[in-house]
Amino acid sequence: MISVVQNFICNNDERLKVLLDNLPKLGEIFKDYTFYVNFNDTNNFEVVLDAYKKYIPNLYFYNELKKDWALVTLSLCEQVETPYVIYLCEDQQVNMTKVDWDNIIKEALLEQTVEYLLLTKIGKYTQSKFVRNIKKYDMDQESGQILWNKHLWN
């Protein structure tokens, strides 16, 4: 139902530590998902590859070194055979359980049938200088519930 796509470099020791500490949890929460990962560097390649092979059971791992991030990411997405894709930043820490995640998926994808679900704090990139014609969806102040909508983008 869901695949995970990642395209990144990791040549900073602090980010590498976060990635290595986080992979066991990713492997548990997303154990039923296929990962399509491109590591776009040679520095730390073996360390990252070994960690992914250890913790991610359904893995397509690449070492495409082209510096065209969008083209490589699109190429990964074109391999996906599931109806949903998670683009997951490599250093995004997972602070939930598999039950928590399954509840999010049940509510957002199955019950509300959303097409786009933002799970990270990227408010900086939703400013008009980065994205045109964005619709803003905020918390419902009365109920405290997040408002779901199928059409988040114009």
Side-chain angles (χ1 to χ4, degrees):
M1 182 170 151
I2 300 173
S3 298
V4 177
V5 171
Q6 296 179 298
N7 182 17
F8 64 97
I9 65 171
C10 191
N11 51 20
N12 175 292
D13 290 340
E14 290 174 12
R15 286 184 63 214
L16 180 61
K17 181 178 179 348
V18 170
L19 181 138
L20 296 175
D21 289 347
N22 202 44
L23 270 176
K25 191 142 192 182
L26 281 179
E28 175 58 30
I29 292 174
F30 301 130
K31 66 183 171 190
D32 300 325
Y33 301 169
T34 301
F35 278 65
Y36 298 86
V37 178
N38 183 59
F39 187 73
N40 195 314
D41 206 345
T42 54
N43 187 27
N44 292 321
F45 172 74
E46 292 296 330
V47 172
V48 172
L49 174 61
D50 290 345
Y52 269 86
K53 285 167 57 176
K54 181 175 181 179
Y55 294 111
I56 307 300
N58 303 311
L59 176 65
Y60 292 90
F61 195 94
Y62 303 91
N63 189 220
E64 175 57 62
L65 299 176
K66 286 181 186 168
K67 296 304 176 193
D68 190 335
W69 178 87
L71 182 64
V72 173
T73 302
L74 179 60
S75 148
L76 294 170
C77 289
E78 288 174 342
Q79 296 176 55
V80 170
E81 297 178 359
T82 58
Y84 295 101
V85 174
I86 297 173
Y87 185 84
L88 189 63
C89 298
E90 73 285 353
D91 60 351
Q92 179 179 340
Q93 292 180 308
V94 177
N95 296 311
M96 68 179 100
T97 66
K98 180 149 180 39
V99 171
D100 294 334
W101 176 251
D102 289 344
N103 287 336
I104 291 170
I105 294 306
K106 179 181 173 201
E107 179 183 348
L109 302 183
L110 302 177
E111 294 172 3
Q112 302 298 328
T113 61
V114 297
E115 294 175 353
Y116 178 81
L117 179 63
L118 181 61
L119 298 172
T120 59
K121 294 179 182 179
I122 61 167
K124 163 183 165 180
Y125 298 108
T126 60
Q127 296 173 22
S128 61
K129 69 181 181 179
F130 295 108
V131 179
R132 295 173 193 217
N133 300 323
I134 188 170
K135 291 182 181 178
K136 298 228 181 221
Y137 291 87
D138 298 316
M139 281 290 228
D140 180 341
Q141 297 302 318
E142 291 180 19
S143 69
Q145 298 294 315
I146 294 175
L147 300 174
W148 299 107
N149 190 295
K150 288 179 66 167
H151 307 288
L152 295 180
W153 303 94
N154 285 337

